[in-house]
Amino acid sequence: MKLSVLARETAGARLVGGDAEIKGLRFDSRITENGDLFFCYRGTHSDSHAYAAEAERRGAVAIVCEREVDVNLPQLIVSDGREAMARIAAGFYGHPEKKLSIVGVTGTNGKTTVSQMLYRILECDGRRAGVIGTLGGKFPSAEIAPTLTTPDSVFLFSLLADMVRAKTEIAVMEVSAHALALKKEIPICYDTAVFTNLTQDHLDFFGDMQSYGAAKKSLFTPQRCRFAVINSDDPFSRELIGKVPYISYGLDAPSDSFALIRREEIGGTRALLNLNDELCDAEICLTGRHNVYNALAAATAARRYGVGAEAIAAGLKSTRVDGRLERVARHRGAEIVVDFAHTPDGLEKSLLALKEYCTGRLIVLFGCGGNRDREKRPLMGATAARLADFAVLTSDNPRFEEPLSIISEIERGFRAVSRNYTIVEERERATEYAIGMLREGDILLVAGKGGEREQEIMGIKYGYSDKTVIENILGKLQ
């Protein structure tokens, strides 16, 4: 495809130095190949304009940049390199976003579970559905390994194009606040946008909750979505209504969709869902009240596509979400549960859910990610101290920080409430210690990583899975 044709995708672009035939798109100079168009933009940690010359040496035939660079290639000068990359990627792959019904799910917590529930509901209704998010991508006859919650623009639109070729009808997609702020998916006008909740997270990037909320809010405009599904029990919902048609769900505030909880157990919840006056008797095989919210969000979105109660019930009953309040083992009469909870609100919801079924001690093992929102660390410590009987503070993904430094910030919040904790820096040893404590009636929550299969330390990603570690430790004890 000609660069001059792709230039039409982004308003105000200026082409200098001639034209070029584009065979591929790259934003990493190290993997640039012959025929590629290389994108430059000012990033959060570096400026990729510095790598334009390397991209030229590796075979790039043109550059998209925010200022002219010193290369002997055609250059497309744009005001925002990230936005241009998303818009050009959409055009390069034939605008797949216009050929699919796309459901975008956003919120601090619950994006993955809601997306997986809706995907399964659509499958049970016989729809050709796809899903993109933290657990990777799936669509008819294909499965893609996880990358980011919302993939980079080039991969995202190539994946959507693959879905179109596979005759996918509806794509369900997790939309992170980072993706919205960085305009990764800006060409997409979502057929339906689902809001789960807004609680503290990512303040390392956004600085304050107002900016974080503004990123989420940007999705709920006529330019970005046609219809919204909104959690009426979350105070931030008031910021979202009025711009696009919407339907609400909730358990406390008056809502279009709501639920009557009939039975709650550690293995799941039985509830009667009232979906805008259509009743659905649902068995939700995920623990906790927050998963009733997730089920309501997914079911309400499904009704927009004409899915009936039978398929909704079948989809919810068959949904299993890797590492989301997942019971993974029993040991000495105690339950061991793995969860992704990595925010104060997420940890609180998970601990409250498990506390309902705990006849012994509720023990939690967790840490916090490095080079991320530091303000939430003492808050998570205080939350754990308030709700758990004992905690093992450990490492998560320390990235470029010292693990003990992160743990000490968690400890500060914990010690203000309770002294019932210990510190074991290395996560595998911490897990072994926590399992060794267990006795009849206890519940151990291993929180923070969920279904992640890596641990990032000093820029290197090592293979690590909480579930595998637990399995190995129990194997040695048998």
Side-chain angles (χ1 to χ4, degrees), residues 184-211:
K184 286 184 180 183
E185 39 63 70
I186 198 166
I188 300 173
C189 181
Y190 295 91
D191 189 58
T192 305
V194 180
F195 171 69
T196 61
N197 48 63
L198 185 77
T199 60
Q200 182 172 327
D201 200 11
H202 306 306
L203 297 193
D204 57 302
F205 182 88
F206 290 99
D208 53 56
M209 286 298 292
Q210 185 176 1
S211 299

Side-chain angles (χ1 to χ4, degrees), residues 14 17 35 46 66 77 125 151 159 164 170 207 216 267 289 292 296 308 328 362 389 403 419 441 467:
R14 180 168 57 93
S46 64
E66 297 172 348
I77 315 299
D125 196 51
L159 184 53
V164 170
I170 304 173
K216 300 289 190 187
R289 179 181 167 96
V292 180
L296 277 170
V328 296
L362 180 56
D389 297 299
R419 301 299 174 94
K467 291 196 292 184

Side-chain angles (χ1 to χ4, degrees), residues 3 20 45 56 87 103 109 112 127 140 143 150 152 195 221 251 271 334 387-388 410:
L3 178 61
H45 301 295
E56 181 183 25
R87 295 192 181 279
V103 180
N109 298 310
T112 300
R127 308 297 181 93
E143 188 165 343
T150 308
D152 66 74
F195 171 69
T221 64
L251 292 176
L387 295 174
I410 302 170

